[in-house]
Amino acid sequence: MELAAQLLTVLGIALMTYNVIRVGLYVRLQNDLLVGASSAWLARVVFGSIVVFDVAYVVILLQNLGRLSVGLILASGAAFVTVVIYWLISLDASMRQDTTRLVETLVAVIEARDPSLRGHSRQVRDVSLMIYDVLPRPQRRKVNREQLGYAALLHDLGKIGIPEAILNKPGPLTSEERAIVKAHPQIGVDIVRPIGLLDDATDWILYHHEYVDGTGYFGIAGDAIPLGARIISVADVFSALYMNRPYAGSIGYDECVRTMRDEAGTHLDPQIVEAFCSIPREDVLATAPDATPAAAPAAASAPASAPQAD
Ligand SMILES: [Fe+2]
C-alpha cells in the first residue's frame, strides 16, 4: 500500500513537471503576443512554480506522509491539470490553423489577380520573420512575430481593389494609375479590420509604403512608422527588387543589398536594412519562389532602379 502511494506521488511529480514545462514553453511562445513586460513576468512565475510544486511533492514523499489517499489525490489532480492543459493548447493550435488557412486563402486571391505577385507575399513574410529574428530583443518585444507574419502575407491584400489593367500593365504607370495603386494599403486595412485578425498589426499593412524621411504614402517619418511596417517595407523592397516584375527586370542578391543600403535613411530604416544584411545570404535566397529567374546572368547585371515595392 505504501509503495502504491509513493508511486502515485512520483506520478504526480512527473505530471506536474510536464505541465509546468509545457505551460512555460507555451507562455514563452506567446511572449511576443502579449506585447509588454507582463508576459516576461508571467513566464518567470510559471517556470518558478515548478520549484514550488515539485518541492512540495518531494517533501510529502520524503516525510512519508504519502498514505494511498494522499498519493491518489495528488496524482489525480495532476492528471486533471494535464488534460486541461493539453486541451487548451490543442484548441489554440486548432484556432491558429484556421487563421492560417484564412490568410492563405486571401493570399491566393491576391495572387490570382496579379500573377506577378506569385510567391511575393510568402517571400515578404519569410524575409520579415528572418529580420525579426535577428533584431535585438527590446525591438522584438515591440512586435508580435505571428502577427508580423500575417501582416506581411497580407500587405498587398488591397490590390484586390485595383483594376487588373493597372496591376498587370507591362510598362511604367501614369501618375493617375500610381494614385490608384497608392490606395491599396487603405483598401487592405478596410478588408482586414472587420475580421479582427490582426488588431494593431493592421497599421503595419497601412504603413508598409512609408519612407523614413517622411516622403511615403502617408508622410509619416522615422520611428513614427510602426516597427512592423518598417520591417515589412524592407522585406517588400528586397522581394520587389529580387523577383521578376513586369516593370523591372530581376537583379541579383548583391545588387539588391547595394540598392537597399543606398535607400537606407531615406526610404528604408537603416537599422532594419542592416538587420536584413546580417541574415545569411543562403537563408534569404531560400525564400525565393522556385520560378524566380533572379540568378540569370543577364538579369543580374541589370541596373537597379529605386525600389518599386508596390
Ligand atoms: Fe504594397
Side-chain angles (χ1 to χ4, degrees):
M1 187 67 77
E2 195 58 36
L3 178 64
Q6 289 188 348
L7 285 175
L8 284 169
T9 307
V10 169
L11 177 64
I13 292 172
L15 285 175
M16 286 310 295
T17 302
Y18 165 81
N19 289 335
V20 174
I21 291 174
R22 188 92 197 266
V23 170
L25 291 174
Y26 181 72
V27 169
R28 179 173 282 182
L29 185 72
Q30 301 308 307
N31 222 14
D32 302 317
L33 191 65
L34 304 169
V35 175
S38 59
S39 54
W41 239 100
L42 207 57
R44 280 188 208 115
V45 169
V46 168
F47 278 115
S49 65
I50 193 170
V51 178
V52 178
F53 273 121
D54 285 351
V55 166
Y57 273 94
V58 170
V59 166
I60 288 170
L61 191 66
L62 292 180
Q63 292 193 348
N64 204 23
L65 300 175
R67 288 177 304 217
L68 185 60
S69 58
V70 174
L72 202 56
I73 289 168
L74 294 177
S76 60
F80 172 75
V81 173
T82 305
V83 170
V84 170
I85 288 172
Y86 179 81
W87 179 75
L88 284 174
I89 293 178
S90 299
L91 183 67
D92 183 78
S94 171
M95 289 169 67
R96 282 166 197 278
Q97 266 184 1
D98 290 345
T99 303
T100 302
R101 283 195 203 104
L102 172 61
V103 171
E104 293 281 349
T105 302
L106 291 172
V107 170
V109 172
I110 303 169
E111 293 183 346
R113 289 212 66 219
D114 185 354
S116 71
L117 285 176
R118 199 150 292 151
H120 169 69
S121 302
R122 286 176 185 80
Q123 186 176 37
V124 173
R125 185 261 319 270
D126 293 346
V127 173
S128 294
L129 295 180
M130 286 178 181
I131 293 171
Y132 172 92
D133 289 340
V134 297
L135 286 177
R137 185 167 175 77
Q139 284 198 294
R140 276 187 283 137
R141 294 193 61 78
K142 295 177 185 171
V143 173
N144 175 303
R145 191 178 190 279
E146 186 176 44
Q147 296 269 297
L148 177 65
Y150 290 147
L153 267 174
L154 297 175
H155 72 282
D156 275 340
L157 176 64
K159 288 190 173 179
I160 289 173
I162 309 298
E164 285 186 46
I166 296 177
L167 288 180
N168 299 321
K169 185 177 177 180
L173 302 179
T174 65
S175 57
E176 289 82 12
E177 290 167 338
R178 289 200 71 80
I180 293 171
V181 170
K182 276 187 171 184
H184 78 269
Q186 184 64 59
I187 296 171
V189 166
D190 291 344
I191 294 170
V192 166
R193 192 161 271 152
I195 305 174
L197 191 65
L198 294 175
D199 298 327
D200 293 341
T202 51
D203 279 351
W204 307 342
I205 294 176
L206 189 62
Y207 298 127
H208 77 272
H209 282 293
E210 295 313 296
Y211 282 38
V212 292
D213 65 2
T215 59
Y217 283 12
F218 290 93
I220 61 173
D223 291 345
I225 305 168
L227 179 58
R230 281 178 273 147
I231 294 172
I232 292 172
S233 178
V234 168
D236 192 22
V237 166
F238 168 75
S239 182
L241 286 167
Y242 191 75
M243 289 181 68
N244 190 17
R245 307 292 286 272
Y247 43 74
S250 296
I251 60 174
Y253 172 85
D254 291 337
E255 189 68 7
C256 289
V257 168
R258 190 193 64 74
T259 305
M260 290 164 72
R261 281 194 161 131
D262 285 348
E263 295 291 321
T266 52
H267 178 176
L268 304 172
D269 182 325
Q271 190 184 6
I272 307 298
V273 171
E274 287 314 305
F276 168 82
C277 294
S278 73
I279 301 167
R281 174 196 184 108
E282 59 272 19
D283 291 351
V284 174
L285 295 183
T287 65
D290 292 339
T292 302
S301 63
S305 56
Q308 294 279 325
D310 294 323

